[in-house]
Amino acid sequence: MRKLILALALAGTALSSSALAAEKLKIGTEGAYPPFNFVDSSGKIGGFDVEIGLALCERMKVECEVVAQDWDGIIPGLLAKKYDMIIASMFITEERKKQVAFSNPYYLAAMTHAAPKGAGIKDFSNEALKGKVIGAQAGTTQADYIAAVYPDAEIKLYPTQDEANLDMVNGRLDLQVGDMLPLLDWVTKNDDGKGCCELIGEPITDKKFVGDGVGIAVRQEDNELRERLNKALDEIRADGTYKKINDKYFTIDVYTMK
């Protein structure tokens, strides 16, 4: 009887190991938020978010596929099981926690204002910006911010950050609010951004809008996956994998913003 129990236990272990080896997970990302996620000229999805996600999958010893999803449908897509996690520079906020669970932050976050060069905006109060055209990407905490802070401005929302940037290049926006790192990348590395625009004012760090950093969203019932992601994140921080990916895109450590 003992031999039979042992044989069954070993068979169960082998089956469990085989199932883990065969596990395949899907990562949902936007693909329109450089340098964090974008589609390159060959049609491949890349960027900091994507590389961090794949490094976490490698650490968890699972095969992962990256799926592109428009931002306004990215949480519904997770809940509908189109993918298993969202790695798309999503701020951890109390409102989003009502729908999804988050990993520990994989980088810190702040928002900023961008304006045409020479705009001369010094006062960022609602009164000073009354009637100005202010833009942000729809469905983001940046959009929530401008709606709350600038109720007397003309608000324009865009499906992607690139479209907001394009309208600013073409003179259709007086001001926009966006995630600091992508906008910094745009005004320092992109020809259109460098030519037209600059970051102005102090970083926006109100936790009501930027939350506790940027995390990986999973379905609320997937606590085991969330814990595995947290463990893998600690490991890639410790062994230098995170730093290698970070330094490919940024001159500061975005995990600490130092």
Side-chain angles (χ1 to χ4, degrees):
M1 178 61 74
R2 276 190 232 161
K3 287 183 180 179
L4 177 59
I5 291 170
L6 178 61
L8 288 171
L10 290 171
T13 301
L15 180 60
S16 175
S17 298
S18 173
L20 183 62
E23 183 181 7
K24 183 172 182 178
L25 299 175
K26 291 184 178 181
I27 299 170
T29 197
E30 185 184 11
Y33 205 59
F36 290 97
N37 54 79
F38 54 83
V39 179
D40 66 20
S41 57
S42 68
K44 183 178 179 181
I45 305 172
F48 176 80
D49 289 332
V50 174
E51 292 198 38
I52 290 294
L54 293 177
L56 294 173
C57 290
E58 183 176 350
R59 183 60 49 153
M60 294 189 297
K61 296 181 170 55
V62 295
E63 181 183 354
C64 283
E65 175 187 351
V66 182
V67 178
Q69 170 66 54
D70 290 345
W71 182 258
D72 60 0
I74 206 161
I75 288 180
L78 176 69
L79 301 180
K81 300 188 176 182
K82 290 177 64 177
Y83 28 83
D84 303 288
M85 62 188 106
I86 297 170
I87 308 183
S89 290
M90 182 173 283
F91 290 177
I92 301 168
T93 65
E94 293 304 315
E95 191 63 29
R96 287 176 177 146
K97 285 180 184 177
K98 295 175 183 177
Q99 295 182 279
V100 299
F102 283 99
S103 70
N104 294 335
Y106 66 97
Y107 75 88
L108 295 184
M111 301 186 296
T112 188
H113 295 93
K117 288 181 177 178
I121 298 173
K122 305 287 186 186
D123 185 344
F124 294 90
S125 66
N126 176 56
E127 294 76 15
L129 296 174
K130 182 177 181 179
K132 296 288 188 183
V133 183
I134 304 178
Q137 183 178 2
T140 64
T141 49
Q142 294 92 323
D144 294 340
Y145 180 84
I146 62 174
V149 176
Y150 303 121
D152 294 324
E154 180 183 341
I155 302 297
K156 293 189 72 174
L157 301 179
Y158 300 85
T160 68
Q161 183 63 50
D162 283 345
E163 289 173 80
N165 293 346
L166 183 62
D167 254 13
M168 179 157 277
V169 170
N170 290 325
R172 300 189 188 103
L173 285 178
D174 298 306
L175 189 70
Q176 68 164 308
V177 172
D179 188 0
M180 176 174 280
L181 290 170
L183 280 182
L184 177 62
D185 190 73
W186 181 59
V187 300
T188 57
K189 298 179 182 178
N190 179 278
D191 288 342
D192 286 341
K194 285 192 294 184
C196 87
C197 303
E198 60 186 348
L199 303 189
I200 59 174
E202 294 297 318
I204 302 164
T205 56
D206 185 340
K207 282 200 168 189
K208 179 180 177 183
F209 298 99
V210 302
D212 297 314
V214 173
I216 300 166
V218 299
R219 290 179 287 275
Q220 291 179 336
E221 64 269 24
D222 289 344
N223 192 53
E224 181 185 352
L225 175 58
R226 185 183 63 81
E227 291 179 352
R228 289 167 68 193
L229 287 165
N230 286 338
K231 181 174 183 290
L233 178 59
D234 288 343
E235 290 173 353
I236 67 169
R237 281 291 298 174
D239 71 6
T241 301
Y242 185 103
K243 184 178 188 306
K244 183 177 179 181
I245 297 169
N246 180 96
D247 292 354
K248 181 176 175 181
Y249 294 96
F250 310 108
T251 57
I252 61 170
D253 181 356
V254 296
Y255 190 82
T256 61
M257 283 297 178
K258 296 179 181 177

